[in-house]
Amino acid sequence: MNQSITYGGPVTYAGSVAAAPVVREPLHAPVAHLVRGGLTEGIHYGSVVVLAADGSVELQLGDIEAAFFPRSALKPVQAVAMLRAGLPLDGELLSLAAASHSGEERHLAGTRRILELAGLTEDDLRNVADLPFDPVVRERWVREARLPSRLAQNCSGKHAAMLMTARLNDWSLDDYLDPAHPLQQAIAEIVEDLTGQAVARVTVDGCGAPLFAVSLHGLARAAVRIVTAPPGTPEARVADAMREHAEMASGSGRDAAALMRAVPGLLTKDGFEGVQVAALPDGRAVAVKIADGADRARVPVTAAALARAGVDPAALAEFAGAPLLGGGAVVGSIRPVRALDPLMHSADC
C-alpha cells in the first residue's frame, strides 16, 4: 500500500507497507520448561523472533507472522507518532510518555507536569482509574486509604502526552481515545510505517486507548527502526529518552529498566500478556510472546533470546528467572528451550 497522508499540521506519513498479518490462532511452540527435581513439570508455549543486524530472521520459534496485540510493548511506537505530530517532550517526560510506570511519586509528578504544559488537569485524562502498579507503592496507597486514580494508572504518562499532542494540533480532547480521532489515525499510520505492515485489527487496550494488531516480526522491525534512526529524529529521541531514563519508562526494581542498564545501548519495552521487544543500535532485535501471559517465562526467554542474538550471557545472568523452591530450598528453575541456548547453537554449527 503506497500512501502519503498529512494530519492537522506537522504529522506527515509517506511509505509502503505490506498486507496485514493473518488473523488465526497462533501456532505457538514450547519456549521454556518448568523443571523441578530434574523433571519437566510444566511447559510455557509462545513465539520468539531473533533478528540479525541485517534484518534477516536468525531464529524463529512458534508463530511470528500471525496477528497479535503487542499491548504496552507498542508504546515506543506510539511515542514516535506523537513526536512526529509535534509533541515537544524529551528526556524524562518523553520516557514517561512511552511508559508503563509503577505509580511512584516521580511518575505522578511527571504526568502532572505534562498536563500542566498542555494547560490541562487530571480531570482531562480518559484512561481508567487504578492503584499504582508497583506492589509496594500500591500497598502504601491502600494503607493510606487512597483511592484508585487515573494519574496512578500505569499508562497515565502516555495519556497525558496524547492530550498534549491533541491540544497542540487543535484536535478535540474529549474523544481523543476514539479510533477515528485524528490523533489515533496518526498513530495507526506510524504503527504501519514502523512495523512495515498494515494493522490487522483494532481493539481497546486495558487503559482505554486503541490497540493495534501486528505480527511479532513486525514489532521487532519497529524496534529496529527506532534504535537505528539518525540522531535527532523522533525515533532516536524516544530511544534516547527511554534508555537514559529507564526508571521513568518502568519503575524502580522493574526488569525492563534493569535490562537496559545491564546491556549498553539496549532499548526494551514489556507489555501485559507476556510480551517483550528489545533492540540494539546495530539492528539486532528480539521479540517475545508467552502464550499464557506468564511473566515468570517472559523475562528468562527474553534474556535467552538476547544471548542467542549475541549479547554477552554474563550481562544477562540476573535475568535467568527466579528459582523454583521446595521447602525453602532451590529445587528447579525455568529453562528456555535448547534452540535459545547460544552454546547449543554454536555446537550445532
Side-chain angles (χ1 to χ4, degrees):
M1 178 174 64
N2 293 303
Q3 54 187 325
S4 180
I5 299 175
T6 302
Y7 283 109
V11 181
T12 300
Y13 167 78
S16 179
V17 299
V22 63
V23 176
R24 65 182 175 219
E25 181 176 334
L27 306 173
H28 291 306
V31 294
H33 294 141
L34 180 69
V35 179
R36 181 186 296 270
L39 295 178
T40 298
E41 184 176 33
I43 300 174
H44 288 287
Y45 283 72
S47 296
V48 178
V49 60
V50 177
L51 299 184
D54 64 2
S56 62
V57 175
E58 182 171 315
L59 173 73
Q60 66 179 78
L61 297 175
D63 196 344
I64 69 170
E65 303 297 354
F68 90 119
F69 291 118
R71 303 299 298 269
S72 287
L74 201 61
K75 283 178 178 173
V77 178
Q78 293 171 309
V80 169
M82 287 188 276
L83 290 184
R84 291 195 191 184
L87 183 68
L89 299 180
D90 280 295
E92 289 188 345
L93 295 185
L94 178 54
S95 184
L96 184 60
S100 300
H101 66 69
S102 292
E104 300 166 35
E105 186 51 45
R106 60 179 159 186
H107 301 130
L108 275 59
T111 302
R112 291 191 192 97
R113 180 58 181 156
I114 295 172
L115 291 168
E116 289 170 0
L117 290 170
L120 301 169
T121 70
E122 181 180 352
D123 292 337
D124 293 295
L125 293 170
R126 292 292 178 267
N127 58 309
V128 297
D130 201 357
L131 293 171
F133 180 78
D134 182 88
V136 175
V137 180
R138 186 189 314 125
E139 182 181 349
R140 184 167 65 247
W141 272 57
V142 172
R143 288 200 310 267
E144 296 172 353
R146 298 174 71 177
L147 297 175
S149 77
R150 290 190 169 100
L151 204 64
Q153 197 266 340
N154 74 92
C155 302
S156 65
K158 177 183 77 174
H159 282 255
M162 285 181 170
L163 281 167
M164 187 176 186
T165 304
R167 168 145 286 189
L168 289 169
N169 284 277
D170 293 324
W171 294 331
S172 57
L173 301 182
D174 289 346
D175 61 342
Y176 76 93
L177 296 182
D178 187 330
H181 190 280
L183 170 66
Q184 302 303 336
Q185 291 289 300
I187 290 173
E189 296 290 356
I190 303 310
V191 169
E192 293 189 340
D193 180 18
L194 296 185
T195 63
Q197 61 190 173
V199 169
R201 292 282 174 86
V202 181
T203 188
V204 181
D205 209 340
C207 65
L211 177 61
F212 307 101
V214 294
S215 70
L216 196 66
H217 192 180
L219 179 65
R221 284 195 299 264
V224 171
R225 288 281 302 277
I226 290 172
V227 298
T228 60
T233 60
E235 292 88 341
R237 288 166 59 192
V238 169
D240 290 344
M242 293 181 68
R243 289 181 297 212
E244 292 170 13
H245 305 280
E247 285 76 13
M248 286 298 279
S250 54
S252 302
R254 295 272 294 279
D255 58 83
L259 192 54
M260 285 192 277
R261 289 194 301 269
V263 182
L266 184 74
L267 174 69
T268 190
K269 182 70 186 75
D270 56 340
F272 279 159
E273 297 302 322
V275 181
Q276 187 141 2
V277 66
L280 289 156
D282 64 2
R284 289 175 292 158
V286 307
V288 171
K289 164 62 182 175
I290 305 300
D292 62 5
D295 266 0
R296 73 177 184 181
R298 172 185 60 82
V299 178
V301 169
T302 298
L306 284 168
R308 185 68 164 74
V311 174
D312 182 0
L316 301 165
E318 67 177 289
F319 307 101
L324 299 180
L325 303 180
V330 176
V331 296
S333 63
I334 297 283
R335 297 182 187 172
V337 295
R338 287 166 60 92
L340 289 171
D341 186 338
L343 295 179
M344 294 304 301
H345 170 65
S346 298
D348 292 340
C349 293

